[in-house]
Amino acid sequence: MGRLDDKVALITGAAGGLGRQTAIRMAEEGAKIALVDLNVEGGEETKKLVEEIGSKSIFIQADVSKSSDVQNYVKKTIEEFGKIDIFFNNAGIEGMVAPVEDYDEDEFDKVIAINVKGVFLGLKYVLKEMKKQGSGSVINTSSIGGLVGHENFIGYVASKHAVSGMTKDAAIEYGKHGIRVNAIAPGPINTDMVKNAAHKHNPDNPQEYYDLVTSLVPSRMIGEPEHVANLVTFLGSDESPYINGAIIAIDGAMTAI
């Protein structure tokens, strides 16, 4: 028996990184999975990995910043599985690395569209379905950048603070309907996003970024996607009924300093 037997999980940003690893972890616990991403090739690969475990799944291509795409992925999930028990509202981008004065306006708009509007739209249309059911668990992906500042990441930090705020608001509004809304706030995790940040920091020596970041983590390590997947799976399960409105750091104590 798995912790998520008979549950349906909807995961955005499922083509890789935290989304893919969480899909795998939830499949291991018995969940049926609806996978959402703009990247078809990566999404289909995640679907293959999930189905090899024995989980039923579907993949839906979507741009999370477009209302019609979000409504479609919610509709397709309900049509296929009849409900949404867990929503990992995870899709996001890191944006450019630059001081505020040099940060490109179009790039800022793009980060806000995906990281803020995308999360908002997911909440808007998934919570409506969960309200009908009278139950559900939403896990938004914020960041330690949604708790503290981070030099040269104005767009990302702004967007993730917004995610943390939306999480608290939705938790207050929907707790009475049997729905929990929490957010995870990962520190440095060994995903493509961190690899991209390392290359942007120093294209000639990306390892410099890893060494710098590791030195700033009291646990002296960079986290792995599996660590985050375990936390998200716990928050999606029935083992966390009184956790609502929380922004949970998973960062090796970086924000404890």
Side-chain angles (χ1 to χ4, degrees):
M1 292 289 289
R3 288 189 290 171
L4 304 182
D5 282 350
D6 300 321
K7 291 191 180 295
V8 174
L10 170 59
I11 299 173
T12 66
L18 303 184
R20 173 175 290 177
Q21 195 59 50
T22 299
I24 291 169
R25 187 72 190 90
M26 288 186 173
E28 290 172 343
E29 291 291 348
K32 301 179 185 72
I33 317 281
L35 305 162
V36 175
D37 208 290
L38 189 61
N39 178 350
V40 175
E41 184 178 355
E44 291 290 353
E45 177 62 24
T46 301
K47 183 175 186 291
K48 177 183 175 184
L49 293 169
V50 163
E51 290 179 347
E52 285 175 353
I53 296 168
S55 173
K56 293 182 180 178
S57 70
I58 57 171
F59 170 71
I60 308 144
Q61 185 183 26
D63 178 342
V64 299
S65 69
K66 294 182 177 178
S67 180
S68 58
D69 282 20
V70 174
Q71 291 179 72
N72 182 61
Y73 77 60
V74 172
K75 178 184 175 185
K76 295 277 186 170
T77 302
I78 296 295
E79 286 176 350
E80 181 70 22
F81 298 120
K83 60 177 182 172
I84 301 170
D85 298 299
I86 303 165
F87 179 36
F88 186 27
N89 200 4
N90 168 66
I93 59 173
E94 76 274 10
M96 69 186 298
V97 179
V100 175
E101 63 192 82
D102 298 325
Y103 203 97
D104 183 75
E105 185 176 347
D106 289 340
E107 184 75 5
F108 186 87
D109 288 343
K110 181 179 178 181
V111 172
I112 296 301
I114 295 171
N115 292 7
V116 180
K117 187 178 179 183
V119 170
F120 159 70
L121 290 172
L123 289 171
K124 177 179 175 65
Y125 292 108
V126 171
L127 286 171
K128 183 177 181 179
E129 295 299 327
M130 289 182 168
K131 185 177 176 181
K132 294 176 188 175
Q133 300 164 187
S135 64
S137 175
V138 176
I139 306 97
N140 296 322
T141 297
S142 184
S143 165
I144 59 170
L147 300 172
V148 296
H150 193 309
E151 186 178 11
N152 294 331
F153 277 89
I154 186 71
Y156 184 77
V157 168
S159 71
K160 292 303 184 178
H161 271 73
V163 171
S164 296
M166 288 189 289
T167 298
K168 294 175 183 179
D169 187 88
I172 293 168
E173 288 186 32
Y174 287 86
K176 59 181 171 289
H177 298 293
I179 301 164
R180 296 181 294 112
V181 184
N182 295 292
I184 55 166
I189 306 295
N190 191 20
T191 64
D192 286 342
M193 187 174 284
V194 168
K195 292 175 187 175
N196 291 338
H199 280 278
K200 290 175 182 177
H201 176 79
N202 187 342
D204 297 324
N205 183 19
Q207 186 60 42
E208 178 183 278
Y209 183 82
Y210 284 95
D211 293 342
L212 172 63
V213 170
T214 301
S215 72
L216 297 174
V217 180
S219 295
R220 293 298 185 267
M221 63 181 287
I222 290 178
E224 295 296 332
E226 292 85 349
H227 303 152
V228 177
N230 288 337
L231 174 59
V232 176
T233 300
F234 168 69
L235 292 172
S237 76
D238 294 334
E239 297 174 1
S240 53
Y242 202 47
I243 303 177
N244 191 23
I247 317 297
I248 303 175
I250 176 165
D251 66 352
M254 279 190 78
T255 51
I257 298 171

